[in-house]
Amino acid sequence: MDDFQKMVKLLDDMNQRQKEMQSDITDMKSDMSRMNGDITNMKSDISEMKEELATAKQEREVIRKTVVQNVENIEELKTTVNEIKDDQKSFFEIVGEHEVAIRTLRRKPV
């Protein structure tokens, strides 16, 4: 093989490698385009998740306030029930426990 043929072969090899590299570059561009699409979708999903999280936090705060109010209401009810119990004890002492029991039995059907 003379020098000219070697040069031609070398150029052919270089051209083949250049075509392969261009094909690889095209593939990489295509992959990057798909990745950009995926990133856009992920950004959209993250945005939706942030909105849902904000809504969940608001709902949690409403529930927390409701629970606090319910606890306060229960405490008030306990106080009221204790007052009623004390009043009932006084009533029993005044009227007589026997008389109260008889009247309670009269109201119950037999």
Side-chain angles (χ1 to χ4, degrees), residues 29-41:
K29 285 180 180 179
S30 175
D31 290 346
M32 286 181 64
S33 176
R34 278 189 299 242
M35 288 173 55
N36 284 336
D38 291 345
I39 289 171
T40 300
N41 290 337

Side-chain angles (χ1 to χ4, degrees), residues 80-97 100-101 104 107:
T80 303
V81 167
N82 287 335
E83 289 173 2
I84 291 171
K85 284 181 179 180
D86 286 342
D87 291 347
Q88 187 178 19
K89 286 179 186 177
S90 297
F91 181 74
F92 278 175
E93 289 173 1
I94 294 170
V95 175
E97 189 174 342
V100 173
T104 301
R107 283 195 309 267

Side-chain angles (χ1 to χ4, degrees), residues 55-104:
T55 300
K57 284 181 178 180
Q58 290 173 347
E59 290 173 354
R60 183 196 68 200
E61 184 60 23
V62 168
I63 291 170
R64 188 194 66 75
K65 287 179 180 179
T66 302
V67 167
V68 167
Q69 184 62 44
N70 287 343
V71 168
E72 290 172 0
N73 290 343
I74 288 172
E75 292 302 318
E76 288 177 23
L77 285 173
K78 284 180 181 179
T79 302
T80 303
V81 167
N82 287 335
E83 289 173 2
I84 291 171
K85 284 181 179 180
D86 286 342
D87 291 347
Q88 187 178 19
K89 286 179 186 177
S90 297
F91 181 74
F92 278 175
E93 289 173 1
I94 294 170
V95 175
E97 189 174 342
H98 237 45
E99 184 65 28
V100 173
I102 291 170
R103 290 183 185 267
T104 301

